[in-house]
Coordinates of all heavy atoms in Angstrom, one line a residue:
G1 N 94.7 90.6 109.5 CA 93.9 91.5 108.7 C 93.9 92.9 109.4 O 94.8 93.2 110.2
E2 N 93.0 93.7 109.0 CA 92.9 95.1 109.6 C 92.5 95.0 111.1 O 91.6 94.2 111.4 CB 91.9 95.9 108.8 CG 92.4 96.3 107.4 CD 93.7 97.1 107.5 OE1 93.7 98.2 108.2 OE2 94.7 96.7 107.0
P3 N 93.1 95.8 111.9 CA 92.9 95.7 113.4 C 91.4 95.7 113.7 O 90.9 95.0 114.6 CB 93.7 96.9 113.9 CG 94.7 97.1 112.9 CD 94.1 96.8 111.6
G4 N 90.7 96.7 113.1 CA 89.3 96.8 113.5 C 88.4 95.6 113.1 O 87.3 95.5 113.6
E5 N 89.0 94.7 112.3 CA 88.2 93.6 111.8 C 88.6 92.3 112.5 O 87.8 91.4 112.7 CB 88.4 93.4 110.3 CG 87.8 94.6 109.5 CD 88.1 94.4 108.0 OE1 88.8 93.4 107.6 OE2 87.7 95.3 107.2
V6 N 89.9 92.2 112.9 CA 90.4 90.9 113.4 C 90.7 90.9 114.9 O 90.9 89.8 115.5 CB 91.7 90.5 112.7 CG1 91.5 90.4 111.2 CG2 92.8 91.5 113.0
M7 N 90.6 92.0 115.6 CA 90.8 92.0 117.0 C 89.4 91.7 117.7 O 88.4 92.3 117.4 CB 91.3 93.4 117.5 CG 92.8 93.6 117.2 SD 93.3 95.3 117.7 CE 93.1 95.2 119.5
R8 N 89.5 90.8 118.6 CA 88.2 90.3 119.3 C 88.5 90.3 120.8 O 89.5 89.8 121.3 CB 87.8 88.9 118.9 CG 87.5 88.8 117.4 CD 86.1 89.5 117.2 NE 85.7 89.3 115.7 CZ 86.0 90.2 114.8 NH1 86.7 91.3 115.2 NH2 85.6 90.1 113.6
L9 N 87.6 91.0 121.6 CA 87.7 91.1 123.0 C 87.1 89.8 123.7 O 86.0 89.4 123.3 CB 87.0 92.3 123.6 CG 87.2 92.6 125.1 CD1 88.6 92.8 125.4 CD2 86.4 93.9 125.4
A10 N 87.8 89.2 124.6 CA 87.3 87.9 125.2 C 87.7 87.8 126.6 O 88.7 88.5 127.1 CB 87.9 86.7 124.4
E11 N 86.9 87.0 127.4 CA 87.3 86.7 128.7 C 88.3 85.5 128.7 O 88.0 84.5 128.0 CB 86.1 86.3 129.5 CG 85.2 87.5 129.9 CD 85.7 88.3 131.0 OE1 86.7 87.8 131.7 OE2 85.2 89.4 131.2
T12 N 89.4 85.6 129.4 CA 90.4 84.5 129.3 C 91.1 84.4 130.6 O 91.0 85.3 131.5 CB 91.3 84.8 128.2 OG1 92.2 83.7 128.0 CG2 92.1 86.0 128.4
A13 N 91.9 83.4 130.8 CA 92.6 83.3 132.0 C 93.9 84.2 132.0 O 94.4 84.5 130.9 CB 93.1 81.8 132.2
R14 N 94.4 84.5 133.2 CA 95.6 85.3 133.2 C 96.7 84.4 132.6 O 96.8 83.2 132.9 CB 96.0 85.7 134.6 CG 95.0 86.6 135.3 CD 95.5 86.9 136.7 NE 94.5 87.7 137.5 CZ 94.6 88.1 138.7 NH1 95.7 87.7 139.4 NH2 93.7 88.8 139.3
P15 N 97.7 85.1 131.9 CA 98.8 84.3 131.4 C 99.7 83.9 132.5 O 99.8 84.5 133.5 CB 99.5 85.3 130.4 CG 99.1 86.6 131.0 CD 97.7 86.5 131.5
T16 N 100.4 82.7 132.3 CA 101.3 82.2 133.3 C 102.8 82.5 132.9 O 103.2 82.2 131.8 CB 101.2 80.7 133.4 OG1 99.8 80.3 133.7 CG2 102.1 80.1 134.4
P17 N 103.5 83.2 133.8 CA 104.9 83.6 133.4 C 105.8 82.4 133.1 O 105.7 81.4 133.8 CB 105.4 84.4 134.6 CG 104.1 84.8 135.3 CD 103.1 83.7 135.1
G18 N 106.6 82.5 132.1 CA 107.6 81.5 131.9 C 108.9 81.8 132.6 O 109.0 82.7 133.4
D19 N 110.0 81.1 132.3 CA 111.3 81.4 132.9 C 111.7 82.8 132.7 O 111.7 83.2 131.5 CB 112.3 80.4 132.4 CG 112.1 79.0 132.9 OD1 111.3 78.8 133.9 OD2 112.6 78.0 132.2
G20 N 112.0 83.5 133.7 CA 112.5 84.9 133.6 C 111.5 85.9 133.3 O 111.8 87.1 133.1
Q21 N 110.2 85.5 133.3 CA 109.1 86.4 133.1 C 108.4 86.8 134.3 O 108.5 86.1 135.4 CB 108.1 85.8 132.1 CG 108.7 85.6 130.7 CD 107.6 85.1 129.7 OE1 106.7 84.4 130.1 NE2 107.8 85.4 128.4
V22 N 107.6 87.9 134.3 CA 106.8 88.4 135.4 C 105.4 88.7 134.8 O 105.2 89.1 133.7 CB 107.4 89.6 136.1 CG1 108.7 89.3 136.8 CG2 107.6 90.7 135.1
L23 N 104.4 88.6 135.7 CA 103.1 89.0 135.4 C 102.9 90.4 135.8 O 103.2 90.8 136.9 CB 102.1 88.1 136.1 CG 100.6 88.4 135.9 CD1 100.1 88.0 134.5 CD2 99.7 87.6 137.0
L24 N 102.3 91.2 134.9 CA 102.1 92.6 135.2 C 100.6 93.0 135.0 O 100.0 92.5 134.0 CB 102.9 93.5 134.2 CG 104.4 93.4 134.2 CD1 105.0 94.2 133.1 CD2 105.0 93.8 135.6
R25 N 100.1 93.7 136.0 CA 98.8 94.3 135.8 C 99.0 95.5 134.9 O 99.8 96.4 135.1 CB 98.1 94.7 137.1 CG 96.7 95.4 136.9 CD 96.1 95.7 138.2 NE 96.7 96.8 138.9 CZ 96.4 98.1 138.6 NH1 95.6 98.4 137.6 NH2 97.0 99.1 139.2
V26 N 98.2 95.6 133.8 CA 98.4 96.7 132.8 C 97.7 97.9 133.4 O 96.5 97.9 133.5 CB 97.8 96.3 131.4 CG1 97.9 97.5 130.5 CG2 98.5 95.1 130.9
R27 N 98.4 99.0 133.6 CA 97.9 100.2 134.0 C 97.5 101.1 132.8 O 96.6 101.9 132.8 CB 98.9 101.0 134.9 CG 99.2 100.2 136.2 CD 100.3 100.9 137.0 NE 99.8 102.2 137.5 CZ 99.5 102.5 138.8 NH1 99.6 101.5 139.7 NH2 99.1 103.7 139.2
A28 N 98.3 101.0 131.7 CA 98.1 101.7 130.5 C 98.9 101.1 129.4 O 100.0 100.6 129.6 CB 98.5 103.2 130.6
A29 N 98.4 101.0 128.2 CA 99.0 100.4 127.1 C 99.0 101.4 125.9 O 97.9 101.8 125.4 CB 98.4 99.1 126.7
N30 N 100.2 101.8 125.5 CA 100.3 102.8 124.3 C 100.1 102.0 123.0 O 100.7 100.9 122.8 CB 101.6 103.5 124.4 CG 101.8 104.5 123.3 OD1 100.9 105.2 123.0 ND2 102.9 104.4 122.6
I31 N 99.4 102.6 122.1 CA 99.3 102.0 120.7 C 100.4 102.5 119.8 O 100.6 103.7 119.7 CB 97.9 102.4 120.1 CG1 96.8 101.9 121.0 CG2 97.8 101.9 118.7 CD1 95.4 102.3 120.6
N32 N 101.0 101.6 119.2 CA 102.1 101.9 118.2 C 101.7 101.3 116.9 O 100.9 100.4 116.8 CB 103.4 101.2 118.7 CG 104.1 101.8 119.9 OD1 104.9 102.7 119.7 ND2 103.7 101.4 121.1
F33 N 102.3 101.9 115.8 CA 102.0 101.4 114.5 C 102.4 100.0 114.3 O 101.6 99.2 113.6 CB 102.8 102.3 113.4 CG 102.4 102.0 112.0 CD1 101.1 102.4 111.5 CD2 103.2 101.4 111.2 CE1 100.7 102.1 110.2 CE2 102.9 101.1 109.8 CZ 101.6 101.5 109.4
P34 N 103.4 99.5 115.0 CA 103.7 98.0 114.9 C 102.5 97.1 115.4 O 102.4 96.0 114.9 CB 104.9 97.8 115.8 CG 105.7 99.1 115.6 CD 104.6 100.2 115.6
D35 N 101.7 97.7 116.2 CA 100.5 96.9 116.6 C 99.6 96.6 115.4 O 99.1 95.5 115.3 CB 99.7 97.6 117.7 CG 100.5 97.7 119.0 OD1 101.0 96.6 119.5 OD2 100.5 98.7 119.6
A36 N 99.5 97.6 114.6 CA 98.7 97.4 113.4 C 99.4 96.4 112.4 O 98.7 95.5 111.8 CB 98.4 98.7 112.6
L37 N 100.7 96.5 112.3 CA 101.4 95.6 111.5 C 101.4 94.2 112.0 O 101.3 93.2 111.2 CB 102.9 96.0 111.4 CG 103.2 97.4 110.7 CD1 104.6 97.7 110.7 CD2 102.6 97.4 109.3
L38 N 101.4 94.0 113.3 CA 101.2 92.7 113.9 C 99.9 92.1 113.5 O 99.8 90.9 113.1 CB 101.3 92.8 115.4 CG 102.7 92.9 116.0 CD1 102.7 93.3 117.5 CD2 103.5 91.6 115.9
C39 N 98.8 92.9 113.6 CA 97.5 92.4 113.2 C 97.5 92.0 111.7 O 96.8 91.0 111.4 CB 96.4 93.5 113.5 SG 96.1 93.8 115.2
R40 N 98.2 92.7 110.9 CA 98.2 92.4 109.5 C 99.1 91.3 109.1 O 99.2 90.8 108.0 CB 98.6 93.7 108.7 CG 97.6 94.8 108.8 CD 98.2 96.1 108.3 NE 97.2 97.2 108.2 CZ 97.5 98.5 108.1 NH1 98.8 98.9 107.9 NH2 96.6 99.4 108.1
G41 N 100.0 90.9 110.1 CA 101.0 89.9 109.8 C 102.2 90.4 109.0 O 102.8 89.6 108.3
R42 N 102.4 91.7 109.1 CA 103.5 92.3 108.3 C 104.6 92.9 109.2 O 105.4 93.7 108.7 CB 102.9 93.4 107.5 CG 101.9 92.9 106.5 CD 101.3 94.1 105.7 NE 100.2 93.7 104.8 CZ 99.4 94.5 104.1 NH1 99.6 95.8 104.3 NH2 98.4 94.0 103.3

């Protein structure tokens, strides 16, 4: 749905890296139009 309606902030465990992945502490996250499309499922 629309980002402002379907995004929910929650307390959760840190994700566990899979093969070939690393865990990163997020210092900054840029917002892109695809983020809205992801929320909409488009």
Side-chain angles (χ1 to χ4, degrees):
E2 288 301 299
E5 299 173 359
V6 301
M7 289 177 61
R8 296 287 182 268
L9 187 60
E11 288 284 345
T12 186
R14 295 181 187 177
T16 301
D19 291 341
Q21 294 182 330
V22 292
L23 179 70
L24 298 175
R25 180 176 71 82
V26 178
R27 298 174 67 106
N30 179 47
I31 298 175
N32 287 267
F33 190 70
D35 291 312
L37 295 180
L38 282 166
C39 291
R40 293 167 176 167
R42 297 177 185 172

